[in-house]
């Protein structure tokens, strides 16, 4: 936020003329007299009003043109933040909390009226003191971005950071992350850090930490419990299981998807139960299989993003695929209809993509269920054209896996073989 | 009992009138404002304290937090939705409600601010989990 705290034009002139700063306790005389604290202005607000927080706690906009006089009752004072010295309990395990941003680490921005990433990892640690009873939490900020701004470069940065901690004495690692693309990040980490020796929990919230009904604290507490008590390895995504604050789900990082825009129970494990659940602090294992199919740690952190995720629909223009080929795309993951189909209008361009040695994988836009391309003639045609069915892997996980496999293989055959290998419970 | 000199002690008395408005929908969502004794939906929350924009904690909230209560909410699906549950951001302020409020304010010769601010409550109000005030000034 600028020094003017969102004020401009007439409103800013009025503040300067009266030597008033945001945060000052003031008395405004207009038709009536109002006392309160001058608040910042929303970025989209006009330049005709000052925002005053009245003693009742309500904010009001007062027309600048009607103001006769402003008196400063007391100036805003900056209260130095008292940092409490962290005292570790030697009997508790250690957890590292890495913050990448998102709603879980955000508060309301009075410039825009929206929530923005602002709280630091140690702010979170202080805001949820229950964490200190579960483990000694170290906190570190990697970056502070909403997840829609996170790119594959950020995934590799997180992976490299985790790789550097593979032999540390941490019992587990928490990653505070924005929820929108959290399942993409969890998928990448699952492949790039196959066999990682300690559990990793990506944790987010659908309601910002600065509101009483935030899901941030229950999710963080449950994720910490899970890391300390689950005795497992893997990359998990930990969020509310449903409407209630009491149950938190730990989803396998490659099987999870955000299926609702705003509910706190937005994330679901596709095609099964969450790997673990934490109900009022008690951790329960719901699956028998190990997350990583090979227990040996095998970090492969390279990535090549020349991959497209194409959702086929009636009326799909085949030339769009030609454009992808021309722009250097090396792999296409189709989100086909039903059991894994695209219309015959696509056959010629698919043939062309194969001639250009692209990897072509098929998933389903039904999201849940397995593609089965031998049932109908169109599926068999597509198999004949060289499309690889990707079983029940979700479209998003398939996309991320394709980027990872492309970055870690020498040719299309090798990439195909990686795509079909079950590495981190993606099938 | 000694008579109190109200002027001397600077007593101010305000009158707060609560009136449910007969609008087609609720203030921040499309739910109908129907009365019903049927509460078929149930969910629970553990509300926590949160700092205001001024970075202050509400003492009442701290007191409630100390009790560490789990709150069970019962809801009627006709008259409440995800917005009430704080599982969806509030929709646009209902136009009719705004119009009626301004009309009543005018009839009472109230001073109407030229800009309305919708705010989130930082106090723990156990009436509902959405924590958006039902009234604006």
């Amino acid at each position: 936020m600028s020094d003017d705290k969102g004020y401009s034009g007439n409103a800013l002139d009025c503040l300067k003329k009266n030597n008033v700063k945001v945060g000052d306790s003031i008395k405004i005389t207009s038709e009536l007299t109002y006392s309160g604290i001058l608040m910042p202005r929303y970025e989209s607000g006009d330049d005709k009003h000052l925002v005053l927080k009245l003693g009742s706690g309500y904010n009001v906009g007062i027309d600048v043109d009607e103001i006769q006089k402003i008196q400063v009752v007391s100036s805003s004072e900056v209260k130095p933040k008292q940092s409490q010295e962290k005292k570790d309990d030697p009997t508790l395990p250690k957890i590292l909390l890495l913050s990448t941003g998102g709603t879980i680490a955000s508060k309301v921005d009075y410039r825009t009226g929206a929530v923005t990433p602002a709280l630091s990892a140690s702010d979170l640690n202080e805001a949820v003191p229950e964490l200190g009873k579960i483990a000694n939490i170290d906190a570190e900020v990697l970056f502070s971005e909403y997840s829609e701004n996170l790119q594959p470069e950020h995934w590799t940065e997180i992976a490299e950071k985790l790789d550097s901690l593979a032999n540390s004495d941490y019992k587990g690692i928490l990653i505070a992350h924005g929820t929108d693309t959290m399942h993409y990040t969890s998928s990448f980490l699952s492949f790039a850090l196959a066999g990682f020796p300690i559990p990793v929990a990506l944790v987010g919230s659908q309601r910002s930490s600065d509101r009483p009904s935030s899901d941030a604290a229950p999710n963080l507490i449950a994720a910490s419990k899970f890391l300390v008590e689950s005795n497992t390895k893997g990359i998990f995504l930990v969020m509310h299981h449903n409407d209630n604050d009491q149950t938190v789900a730990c989803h396998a990082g490659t099987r999870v998807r955000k299926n609702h825009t705003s509910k706190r129970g937005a994330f679901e494990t596709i095609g099964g139960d969450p790997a673990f659940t934490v109900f009022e602090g008690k951790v329960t294992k719901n699956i028998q299989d190990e997350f990583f199919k090979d227990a040996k740690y095998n970090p492969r952190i390279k990535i090549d993003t020349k991959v497209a995720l194409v959702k086929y629909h009636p009326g799909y223009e085949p030339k769009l695929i030609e454009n992808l080929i021309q722009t250097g795309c090396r792999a296409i993951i189709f989100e086909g209809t039903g059991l894994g189909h695209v219309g015959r209008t696509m056959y010629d361009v698919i043939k062309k993509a194969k001639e250009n040695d692209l990897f072509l994988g098929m998933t389903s836009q039904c999201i849940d269920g397995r593609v089965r391309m031998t049932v109908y003639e169109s599926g068999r045609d597509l198999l004949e054209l060289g499309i690889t069915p990707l079983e029940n892997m979700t479209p998003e996980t398939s996309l991320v896996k394709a980027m990872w496999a492309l970055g870690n293989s020498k040719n299309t055959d090798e990439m195909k073989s990686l795509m079909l290998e079950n590495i981190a419970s993606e099938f | 009992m000694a008579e109190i000199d109200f002027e001397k002690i600077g007593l101010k008395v305000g009158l707060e009138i609560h009136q449910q408005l007969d609008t087609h929908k609720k203030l921040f969502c499309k739910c109908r404002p129907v009365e019903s004794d049927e509460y078929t939906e149930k969910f629970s929350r553990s509300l926590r304290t949160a700092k205001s924009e001024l970075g202050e904690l509400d003492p009442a909230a701290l007191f409630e937090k100390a009790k560490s209560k789990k709150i069970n909410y019962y809801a009627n699906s006709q008259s409440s939705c995800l917005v009430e549950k704080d599982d969806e951001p509030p929709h646009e302020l209902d136009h009719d409600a705004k119009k009626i409020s301004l009309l009543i304010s005018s009839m009472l010769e109230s001073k109407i601010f030229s800009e309305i601010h919708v705010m989130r409550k930082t106090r723990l109000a156990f009436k509902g989990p959405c924590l958006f005030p039902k009234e604006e000034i």
Side-chain angles (χ1 to χ4, degrees):
Chain A
M1 187 182 266
S2 71
D3 290 345
D4 300 330
K5 307 282 184 193
Y7 286 101
S8 61
N10 289 342
L12 184 61
D13 290 346
C14 173
L15 294 180
K16 283 182 176 168
K17 198 175 90 186
N18 290 283
N19 202 19
V20 179
K21 294 190 299 297
V22 166
D24 286 351
S25 185
I26 56 173
K27 191 183 267 188
I28 295 180
T29 309
S30 61
E31 197 182 334
L32 295 170
T33 302
Y34 308 102
S35 294
I37 295 167
L38 184 72
M39 299 301 289
R41 184 97 177 117
Y42 290 74
E43 197 175 52
S44 55
D46 60 31
D47 70 341
K48 296 178 178 63
H49 295 86
L50 300 186
V51 182
L52 193 68
K53 179 175 279 298
L54 302 175
S56 61
Y58 285 106
N59 292 1
V60 293
I62 296 177
D63 195 329
V64 172
D65 290 340
E66 291 178 12
I67 295 175
Q68 294 156 15
K69 195 170 75 173
I70 304 181
Q71 282 173 272
V72 178
V73 179
S74 61
S75 282
S76 56
E77 45 180 296
V78 180
K79 291 178 189 164
K81 199 181 169 190
Q82 291 180 336
S83 58
Q84 291 176 334
E85 202 180 320
K86 188 170 161 278
K87 283 182 190 161
D88 283 350
D89 179 345
T91 62
L92 292 178
K94 274 176 69 180
I95 285 179
L96 177 64
L97 168 60
L98 288 176
S99 181
T100 68
T103 305
I104 191 164
S106 66
K107 59 183 178 185
V108 173
D109 177 358
Y110 294 93
R111 184 173 50 121
T112 60
V115 282
T116 55
L119 296 176
S120 69
S122 23
D123 283 340
L124 277 178
N125 203 356
E126 279 177 31
V128 190
E130 292 96 326
L131 297 176
K133 291 177 186 153
I134 301 167
N136 295 317
I137 314 259
D138 292 336
E140 193 178 327
V141 176
L142 265 189
F143 25 84
S144 189
E145 291 282 1
Y146 277 145
S147 67
E148 59 270 32
N149 297 326
L150 296 184
Q151 298 296 336
E153 304 88 82
H154 294 100
W155 302 344
T156 54
E157 196 178 329
I158 300 170
E160 279 159 7
K161 176 71 190 176
L162 292 178
D163 181 48
S164 73
L165 298 164
N167 298 314
S168 67
D169 58 351
Y170 287 115
K171 180 83 175 170
I173 296 171
L174 284 170
I175 301 176
H177 197 291
T179 58
D180 279 6
T181 66
M182 187 152 61
H183 49 308
Y184 291 85
T185 305
S186 66
S187 285
F188 178 74
L189 297 177
S190 301
F191 301 124
L193 303 175
F196 193 68
I198 50 175
V200 175
L202 286 93
V203 58
S205 73
Q206 292 278 79
R207 296 286 168 277
S208 59
S209 309
D210 67 344
R211 58 195 298 169
S213 59
S214 170
D215 49 337
N219 290 345
L220 276 169
I221 294 166
S224 304
K225 272 269 184 192
F226 164 69
L227 292 178
V228 167
E229 294 181 10
S230 63
N231 197 25
T232 191
K233 291 202 292 186
I235 311 293
F236 297 88
L237 192 154
V238 181
M239 290 288 289
H240 264 49
H241 187 40
N242 49 34
D243 281 353
N244 302 304
D245 276 346
Q246 278 63 44
T247 317
V248 174
C250 309
H251 305 276
T254 52
R255 295 294 315 156
V256 63
R257 193 169 189 277
K258 189 175 187 180
N259 280 344
H260 196 278
T261 55
S262 60
K263 277 163 76 166
R264 57 200 72 210
F267 283 88
E268 291 173 332
T269 291
I270 303 301
D273 293 327
F276 292 80
T277 39
V278 184
F279 176 69
E280 292 186 339
K282 188 173 178 286
V283 181
T284 304
K285 188 176 184 180
N286 304 317
I287 52 153
Q288 295 311 313
D289 295 345
E290 292 300 320
F291 179 78
F292 292 123
K293 299 305 159 194
D294 185 348
K296 193 175 162 231
Y297 182 42
N298 182 18
R300 283 174 284 184
I301 300 176
K302 285 184 195 157
I303 192 164
D304 187 334
T305 59
K306 290 193 279 294
V307 181
L309 176 59
V310 170
K311 183 169 190 149
Y312 173 76
H313 55 80
Y316 192 88
E317 173 54 66
K319 275 185 187 158
L320 294 172
I321 302 292
E322 277 184 30
N323 291 345
L324 287 175
I325 299 167
Q326 279 166 18
T327 50
C329 184
R330 298 301 312 139
I332 297 172
I333 302 299
F334 285 101
E335 213 182 286
T337 57
L339 288 166
H341 304 135
V342 295
R344 68 172 72 89
T345 52
M346 301 284 284
Y347 288 8
D348 283 346
V349 80
I350 285 171
K351 218 178 280 175
K352 196 170 175 184
K354 278 314 283 183
E355 284 163 11
N356 281 272
D357 200 29
L358 270 74
F359 171 82
L360 304 174
M362 180 62 75
T363 65
S364 175
Q365 55 196 248
C366 297
I367 306 300
D368 199 355
R370 195 172 291 273
V371 293
R372 203 75 199 145
M373 297 173 68
T374 51
V375 178
Y376 293 100
E377 192 183 336
S378 50
R380 293 192 290 274
D381 289 345
L382 293 168
L383 285 173
E384 191 74 19
L385 289 170
I387 289 195
T388 303
L390 296 174
E391 305 279 336
N392 62 343
M393 194 156 44
T394 66
E396 293 86 0
T397 298
S398 302
L399 169 77
V400 175
K401 190 176 184 185
M403 289 182 184
W404 169 81
L406 186 63
N408 290 283
S409 55
K410 293 185 197 78
N411 53 49
T412 309
D413 285 344
E414 206 176 303
M415 179 186 173
K416 182 178 173 182
S417 151
L418 276 179
M419 287 301 288
L420 295 175
E421 183 187 338
N422 193 358
I423 292 166
S425 302
E426 65 270 30
F427 295 118
Chain B
M1 192 178 162
E3 204 165 287
I4 300 167
D5 185 344
F6 294 127
E7 205 166 316
K8 195 176 167 191
I9 64 169
L11 179 72
K12 272 187 190 174
V13 178
L15 180 63
E16 190 170 306
I17 302 169
H18 288 243
Q19 171 66 50
Q20 188 169 355
L21 303 181
D22 187 17
T23 49
H24 295 293
K25 63 180 192 67
K26 291 171 88 172
L27 192 56
F28 290 114
C29 66
K30 287 180 181 167
C31 288
R32 292 189 294 124
V34 291
E35 293 283 345
S36 170
D37 289 331
E38 274 186 43
Y39 299 101
T40 50
E41 291 188 33
K42 181 188 166 189
F43 60 98
S44 62
R45 291 285 151 78
S46 307
L47 299 184
R48 299 172 65 87
T49 51
K51 287 179 181 174
S52 70
E53 311 106 295
L54 303 175
E56 292 161 351
L57 281 167
D58 176 53
L62 281 172
F63 177 73
E64 292 295 347
K65 189 195 171 194
K67 292 193 279 187
S68 297
K69 272 186 182 170
K70 180 180 108 177
I71 305 142
N72 289 324
Y73 292 98
Y74 295 87
N76 179 297
S77 57
Q78 276 196 314
S79 61
S80 61
C81 64
L82 292 178
V83 174
E84 278 284 321
K85 285 182 175 178
D86 194 27
D87 256 347
E88 184 174 305
H91 303 183
E92 289 293 311
L93 191 69
D94 180 64
H95 182 71
D96 289 342
K98 192 163 69 181
K99 204 169 152 187
I100 294 168
S101 305
L102 291 173
L103 185 66
I104 293 170
S105 301
S106 302
M107 287 164 72
L108 293 171
E109 296 187 3
S110 301
K111 163 70 184 160
I112 299 168
F113 290 100
S114 54
E115 200 174 70
I116 295 173
H117 287 249
V118 176
M119 292 177 62
R120 180 193 300 157
K121 276 184 176 171
T122 53
R123 291 187 183 130
L124 294 186
F126 291 133
K127 290 176 204 162
C130 70
L131 300 164
F132 275 88
K134 301 290 183 284
E135 72 269 24
E136 292 76 37
I137 295 180

